[in-house]
Amino acid sequence: MFISDLHLTEDEPANVAAFLAFLQGPAREAASLFILGDLFEYWAGDDDLETPFNARMAAAIRALADAGTAVFFMTGNRDLLAGADFARAIGATLLEDPARVRFGDHDDQDGTDAAPVLLLAHGDALCTDDLAYQAFRRQVRAPAWQAGFLAQPLAARKAFIAGLRQKSEAAKAEKAMEIMDVNADAVATLLREHGYPTLVHGHTHRPASHRLTVDGRDCVRRVLPDWRGHACWLHWDGRDFTPESGDAVRI
């Protein structure tokens, strides 16, 4: 199962309820769960794991992992500061962005490797038309910037992020929607670099299945939905994708 863009926060109790119900229900039936970024509305650093809300969410994911579902986590633009301590707390494997994931281990009849491969990404790196955002992305993902930011007191980091979120919402209101979507050339370049696999990503909040041709190859780009009070996930059985959803159930 693949999910992204839950933007969990205490201010959105319906999303929280949907997530907890998902973890205790449908996700228990999955061999693996891939969380492709923006799980939280924001993440100020792994030293914020002791905050009651964050601890509750981490414990719920850990319970899923302990029950036998392999959990994989990729940071998004909202939770880019989630690191090794967070991954350990939730019992997850931390993925790079993008990540090539091979499912199964088998050969076809002529002896060539036929194990299916998916390319997973959060998706924000593909929105290259938004030049201001890409400049910001490069800045905040630089190791030196992150080290300096994480050296500040937690309260100061949270205050900075709160101000940043307000500026971000104001900036998005002034941008054309097309600028905040993926760039076709960026998608083609990524697929070319990784051997034309099926691409699964989130970030844009525009769930769809896109068929495209890159260098004469038929490719597929699957966009995950954001959560708006109910669970939404993409199920893959090794051959076909199925978008699925469930009603928010308060536990």
Side-chain angles (χ1 to χ4, degrees):
M1 293 180 177
F2 303 88
I3 61 174
S4 72
D5 299 279
L6 283 68
H7 295 271
L8 294 175
T9 170
E10 290 181 288
D11 297 333
E12 297 290 343
N15 266 4
V16 174
F19 183 52
L20 294 176
F22 170 75
L23 293 177
Q24 295 186 18
R28 295 290 176 111
E29 302 174 6
S32 53
L33 172 66
F34 290 83
I35 305 171
L36 301 187
D38 286 6
L39 173 64
F40 293 95
E41 177 66 8
Y42 74 92
W43 190 258
D46 287 356
D47 54 341
D48 201 17
L49 269 165
E50 296 182 2
T51 298
F53 176 77
N54 294 341
R56 183 186 180 204
M57 297 301 102
I61 302 171
R62 183 59 188 247
L64 174 69
D66 290 344
T69 297
V71 179
F72 299 85
F73 178 78
M74 176 184 292
T75 63
N77 52 295
R78 298 296 187 118
D79 46 22
L80 64 94
L81 294 174
D85 288 344
F86 173 72
R88 280 192 291 270
I90 66 174
T93 298
L94 194 62
L95 297 176
E96 295 292 330
D97 183 0
R100 281 173 54 93
V101 179
R102 186 182 302 278
F103 292 85
D105 184 15
H106 59 275
D107 297 335
D108 63 16
Q109 294 180 351
D110 63 5
T112 59
D113 187 5
V117 176
L118 300 181
L119 183 62
L120 311 179
H122 176 58
D124 60 327
L126 299 171
C127 301
T128 55
D129 291 331
D130 191 341
L131 301 180
Y133 172 74
Q134 292 301 324
F136 172 77
R137 185 181 188 276
R138 288 190 295 271
Q139 176 189 9
V140 299
R141 287 189 174 271
W145 186 93
Q146 291 190 7
F149 184 72
L150 291 172
Q152 300 179 32
L154 180 59
R157 279 178 265 148
K158 287 187 173 183
F160 176 84
I161 290 171
L164 199 63
R165 288 165 62 196
Q166 291 181 346
K167 292 179 181 178
S168 175
E169 292 302 317
K172 285 193 294 185
E174 298 177 357
K175 293 179 181 178
M177 291 299 294
E178 292 76 12
I179 291 178
M180 294 184 285
D181 202 356
V182 301
N183 175 278
D185 290 338
V187 170
T189 297
L190 184 65
L191 293 174
R192 184 179 299 114
E193 290 175 350
H194 292 275
Y196 312 97
T198 292
L199 171 62
V200 179
H201 72 84
H203 180 67
T204 64
H205 301 187
R206 297 182 177 189
S209 176
H210 300 275
R211 296 190 177 276
L212 58 156
T213 302
V214 180
D215 302 335
R217 307 285 191 94
D218 292 330
C219 300
V220 178
R221 177 171 67 92
R222 302 289 309 224
V223 187
L224 300 173
D226 57 318
W227 286 32
R228 301 185 183 185
H230 66 277
C232 305
W233 65 93
L234 186 65
H235 175 259
W236 191 59
D237 63 6
R239 293 181 180 273
D240 298 315
F241 288 97
T242 306
E244 298 182 357
S245 62
D247 294 331
V249 178
R250 187 172 299 280
I251 299 173

